[in-house]
Amino acid sequence: MHTKTMEGLVGAKTNMNLLNTPFRVYKDARRRGDQATMDRAMDYVSQFSDKVDEYQSKAEEGMEEDAKEAREKAELEREKAIEKRRKEREELERRTEEQKAADHSGVNADTIEISEDGKVLLKGNDATDQATPDSGASDGAAAEPANIKTEPVIYSKTGTASQSQSSLGTGASVSVSV
């Protein structure tokens, strides 16, 4: 809150409270019929009333200055936000252009990572493919790879693998719903 606003509000409130005493004196003098006391009391009332008006105008000036400062601050904040968005947009456009340039340069490839188990399995498949190269097919089709025997596995809720019920010889059936 601006200093003028606070000073105006406090001054107006104080002078309004000070008006009560001369009014009370005026009412008392009127009951008694004392014209001189009534005139003096009304002079004090008018003086305090004038001060109230001065302080009210000071409070209004302070509130106008507060509003002006608030508008200026909001405008600065708005300009900062616009500048920040502009910089972000330029950065995004720059990254987009770099990505397009990279895509057009022929470096458009994804990378994958193969786990150790996958590498072992891949080597095992390659070895079985090479071990049975053409098994005598006369139409030139590639021979089917040797069957890889894997035991069925059931995964628990925690993600651990266990042998399936059918491989244990229990003959139980498993129903799965999705």
Side-chain angles (χ1 to χ4, degrees), residues 13-178:
K13 172 81 171 151
T14 303
N15 283 297
M16 287 296 289
N17 289 338
L18 291 175
L19 277 173
N20 293 335
T21 304
F23 262 137
R24 196 175 31 225
V25 170
Y26 173 81
K27 289 178 184 178
D28 186 45
R30 189 177 65 188
R31 261 185 290 141
R32 289 183 316 211
D34 186 4
Q35 187 64 34
T37 306
M38 285 174 37
D39 289 338
R40 263 194 328 262
M42 284 310 286
D43 285 340
Y44 287 125
V45 167
S46 67
Q47 288 175 4
F48 287 131
S49 178
D50 291 340
K51 286 185 181 179
V52 167
D53 291 339
E54 289 174 19
Y55 281 115
Q56 282 179 340
S57 65
K58 189 179 277 191
E60 288 173 1
E61 287 175 17
M63 287 190 293
E64 288 174 3
E65 290 176 9
D66 284 343
K68 182 179 177 183
E69 289 176 6
R71 283 191 300 270
E72 290 173 356
K73 185 177 180 181
E75 182 65 29
L76 284 174
E77 300 253 339
R78 191 172 23 255
E79 288 175 6
K80 286 180 183 178
I82 289 170
E83 181 68 21
K84 182 179 177 183
R85 287 187 195 112
R86 185 183 60 78
K87 287 181 181 179
E88 289 174 352
R89 187 180 64 238
E90 288 174 356
E91 178 68 20
L92 180 63
E93 288 174 358
R94 184 186 60 79
R95 281 190 267 147
T96 304
E97 290 298 322
E98 289 175 358
Q99 183 66 29
K100 285 181 182 179
D103 289 347
H104 292 302
S105 67
V107 188
N108 192 8
D110 292 333
T111 59
I112 61 169
E113 185 176 325
I114 301 174
S115 68
E116 294 300 320
D117 293 336
K119 290 177 184 177
V120 169
L121 198 65
L122 181 63
K123 286 180 183 177
N125 282 342
D126 286 344
T128 56
D129 287 345
Q130 292 171 359
T132 58
D134 192 344
S135 71
S138 60
D139 59 356
E144 293 184 29
N147 289 339
I148 300 173
K149 293 195 174 199
T150 58
E151 293 293 322
V153 178
I154 296 177
Y155 290 95
S156 68
K157 290 182 181 179
T158 60
T160 58
S162 63
Q163 288 184 341
S164 69
Q165 296 288 339
S166 60
S167 66
L168 295 175
T170 59
S173 65
V174 176
S175 62
V176 177
S177 61
V178 178

